């Protein structure tokens, strides 16, 4: 295992641990931290540094472009999760949210294609 891979694991685990520990103290502060694009920024950093120099700008630009579009179908899950949870409990809400998100990803992909966006 390379040093870069170990560092990636530690950084990823650290972010998740930090957010879950903050949530124990404050739901709002934990949600704020979770809403920040840590994963996107960390991934962007690694994509930039691990890409050949001639591909760095395009790779990072493409990465951010696709993140924008792929975040959209995930947003309704955050809004509807509390309602789903009241109806079906925690695990049911996770399943319903995941199912809804998959459907919305499919809708996004085919809807975007109609406008010339290939996602």
């Amino acid at each position: 295992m390379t040093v870069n891979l170990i560092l990636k694991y530690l950084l990823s685990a650290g972010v998740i641990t930090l957010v879950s520990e903050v949530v124990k103290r404050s739901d709002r502060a934990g949600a704020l931290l979770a809403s920040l694009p840590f994963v996107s920024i960390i991934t962007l950093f690694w994509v930039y540094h691990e890409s050949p120099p001639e591909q760095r700008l395009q790779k990072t630009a493409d990465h951010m472009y696709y993140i924008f579009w792929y975040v959209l179908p995930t947003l309704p899950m955050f809004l509807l999760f509390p309602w789903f949870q009241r109806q079906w409990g925690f695990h049911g809400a996770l399943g319903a949210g995941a199912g809804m998100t998959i459907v919305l990803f499919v809708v996004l992909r085919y809807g975007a294609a109609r406008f010339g966006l290939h996602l």
Side-chain angles (χ1 to χ4, degrees):
M1 194 177 301
T2 68
V3 173
N4 279 350
L5 190 56
I6 292 169
L7 187 56
K8 286 180 193 179
Y9 282 132
L10 292 174
L11 204 56
S12 301
V15 167
I16 293 166
T17 302
L18 172 68
V19 171
S20 66
E21 290 299 312
V22 170
V23 168
K24 290 178 185 177
R25 291 164 184 73
S26 169
D27 290 333
R28 288 184 183 169
L32 175 63
L33 279 177
S35 71
L36 297 174
F38 286 123
V39 173
S40 300
I41 291 168
I42 291 167
T43 304
L44 186 67
F45 175 82
W46 288 112
V47 166
Y48 179 83
H49 286 285
E50 293 177 347
S51 295
E54 65 278 0
Q55 293 179 3
R56 285 180 178 162
L57 296 179
Q58 189 63 49
K59 284 285 214 188
T60 55
D62 288 348
H63 179 67
M64 293 306 275
Y65 174 81
Y66 288 121
I67 286 174
F68 170 80
W69 289 107
Y70 293 152
V71 160
L72 296 178
T74 69
L75 295 177
M77 181 187 68
F78 295 103
L79 186 60
L80 294 174
F81 186 88
W83 185 81
F84 288 159
Q85 187 169 252
R86 284 191 301 277
Q87 302 304 309
W88 306 301
F90 176 75
H91 294 98
L94 285 176
M100 179 184 63
T101 301
I102 290 167
V103 168
L104 291 173
F105 270 115
V106 171
V107 169
L108 173 70
R109 181 164 184 215
Y110 288 106
R114 292 180 59 110
F115 295 98
L117 296 172
H118 302 286
L119 300 177

